[in-house]
Amino acid sequence: MATAVPVTPADRHPSTADDLPEGGNHPMDDTTVHNAPSALNGAPDDTAYHYRRNPDLLLEWADGGGPVLVDCGSWRKFAAKPALVDLLNQLDRPQTADQLRTRWRHSAPGGDVLALLARLTAAGILQRCGPPAPDAAENGTRGPGAGWTPYERAVHARSGHGPDVAAGRGTPPPARLHHPEADAVIALPDGADAPSRPLADVLAARRSVRGYAPDPVPLPLLGALLARAARVRGHLAPRSYQQTQRPAPSGGARHSLEIYLLARAVEGLPAGAHHYDPFAHTLHRLTPWTDELAAFQQRTVTDPALLDSAPPVSLCLVSLAARTTWKYEGMALSLIYRDTGCLMQTLSLTATDLGLASCLTGRMEAPLTAPFLPAHHRAHLSHVGNLALGLPTSPPAAPEVTPLDL
């Protein structure tokens, strides 16, 4: 390896983690092994230290095409030469300087591996640690966020910086999704006459129910559920932004979520997969019931919810992410997950209010294989959650709840 150290500034305008521009493309950190303090040098027991790569590091590519190290804990970025990437590959487990000399095919500048390890540690690229556990598993925690993957840390950290400066330009994707291939359109009852209870009673009664009566779900109850929890109430200004007002909140009123109904047993509704149009309060039938549809429901709802049998109805929630990324590119995934939680809670509480039994599941397919969707739709939709629905057994089975010991 040449005498140049394998960590370099990314541009001619150094920045630090403290002055990253809000919502912009973050430049690389100016910390390098040239100027990082070698505070560990000179200690009499330096050679006994073990080192490993920072577990919060991700490797990505800069716009110019070079490899970039991203510390998802501090959100610092470092341009990296291939020799450094090779070094980090060797440090997937704790190593001493002596052990590393026998594994790393490059040599440090001047042959001083220990000085290089010290400087990389000071920069946050490496961590000093104890020797590996006998079973190669480490039982300690890493402070806040322990147990998260670097990818989760990256999403969380990136979301805190706000949307990119280029977000919100151009024409926003439409708020309404059309399925011209649908072979039938079913108008839903508005559910205005369906029963309702005080909110406090609904909150107290809400629970996940995994057993359903064999009776089909009445279509008026299903219509009331979708009308109260997801129907579009109107447009919000400015109209050009394609923002809508709905029962469940959404980041920027962009409402990227679409609801697909998998109906096995609904009174007055053909069995099959349907798309809910929240503007017209109608169902668009996409496919009749098939073995492929049953298998999709089994792996996304029945198995994850630990149900003994498939529910009469399930909802598949997907995101047309472009609606949200148009306004919040750079933090859209975080918002879509939050929107999903809001809609799930709204659906769950509404089902409870109507006397329906429900159970949410977080199983997500990536990529989405939904057999009721044509390929051009699957390419732009992301699966985010599911809801099992049915009539409760009589009387509803109450879960065992241990009282709080205060």
Side-chain angles (χ1 to χ4, degrees), residues 38-355:
S38 54
L40 303 180
N41 288 347
D45 58 348
D46 270 359
T47 57
Y49 291 140
H50 285 75
Y51 300 86
R52 67 174 180 186
R53 65 172 179 254
N54 180 349
D56 288 331
L57 284 181
L58 285 179
L59 184 64
E60 63 179 35
W61 298 98
D63 293 339
V68 176
L69 295 174
V70 183
D71 182 347
C72 301
S74 64
W75 203 245
R76 298 167 73 189
K77 294 187 177 184
F78 305 88
K81 291 184 178 179
L84 177 61
V85 176
D86 183 47
L87 171 64
L88 295 175
N89 183 52
Q90 303 301 324
L91 290 170
D92 57 336
R93 295 184 59 194
Q95 302 283 329
T96 64
D98 288 341
Q99 291 171 327
L100 188 62
R101 287 189 184 98
T102 64
R103 296 186 61 185
W104 192 30
R105 62 187 179 87
H106 298 278
S107 61
D112 194 347
V113 172
L114 189 59
L116 176 61
L117 294 176
R119 290 172 180 158
L120 293 175
T121 301
I125 296 173
L126 302 183
Q127 292 180 348
R128 201 171 66 187
C129 61
D135 61 355
E138 296 181 58
N139 299 318
T141 61
R142 295 187 278 111
W148 290 18
T149 68
Y151 300 99
E152 292 169 318
R153 293 289 293 271
V155 170
H156 184 71
R158 181 62 188 85
S159 298
H161 288 287
D164 290 342
V165 293
R169 297 178 182 174
T171 303
R176 191 175 188 179
L177 178 63
H178 294 279
H179 277 283
E181 73 277 11
D183 61 12
V185 178
I186 300 98
L188 287 170
D190 60 14
D193 297 332
S196 185
R197 293 179 280 171
L199 178 59
D201 294 344
V202 174
L203 290 168
R206 194 225 59 81
R207 58 178 56 92
S208 296
V209 179
R210 292 176 169 81
Y212 308 100
D215 310 75
V217 174
L219 187 60
L221 283 184
L222 189 59
L225 171 74
L226 293 172
R228 294 182 185 180
R231 190 172 186 176
V232 173
R233 295 169 176 167
H235 294 278
L236 297 174
R239 184 71 176 267
S240 61
Y241 273 42
Q242 292 277 309
Q243 298 173 135
T244 55
Q245 207 281 323
R246 312 188 192 197
S250 171
R254 293 297 296 151
H255 292 282
S256 77
L257 302 182
E258 298 287 334
I259 299 176
Y260 290 88
L261 177 77
L262 309 186
R264 298 175 68 100
V266 177
E267 289 180 359
L269 187 68
H274 307 258
H275 173 243
Y276 175 60
D277 180 355
F279 288 82
H281 191 52
T282 56
L283 293 176
H284 294 234
R285 193 178 79 155
L286 303 179
T287 65
W289 196 264
T290 62
D291 290 342
E292 291 78 12
L293 192 58
F296 177 81
Q297 187 186 56
Q298 183 77 28
R299 64 178 177 266
T300 59
V301 178
T302 307
D303 289 344
L306 305 178
L307 305 181
D308 292 333
S309 58
V313 180
S314 64
L315 303 182
C316 174
L317 308 182
V318 303
S319 169
L320 203 163
R323 289 186 194 141
T324 301
T325 59
W326 173 81
K327 188 172 184 179
Y328 295 109
E329 182 180 356
M331 60 180 296
L333 181 60
S334 170
L335 289 177
I336 289 169
Y337 284 164
R338 292 180 231 185
D339 291 355
T340 302
C342 291
L343 180 58
M344 282 182 157
Q345 175 74 328
T346 304
L347 287 165
S348 183
L349 289 175
T350 305
T352 301
D353 185 31
L354 293 167

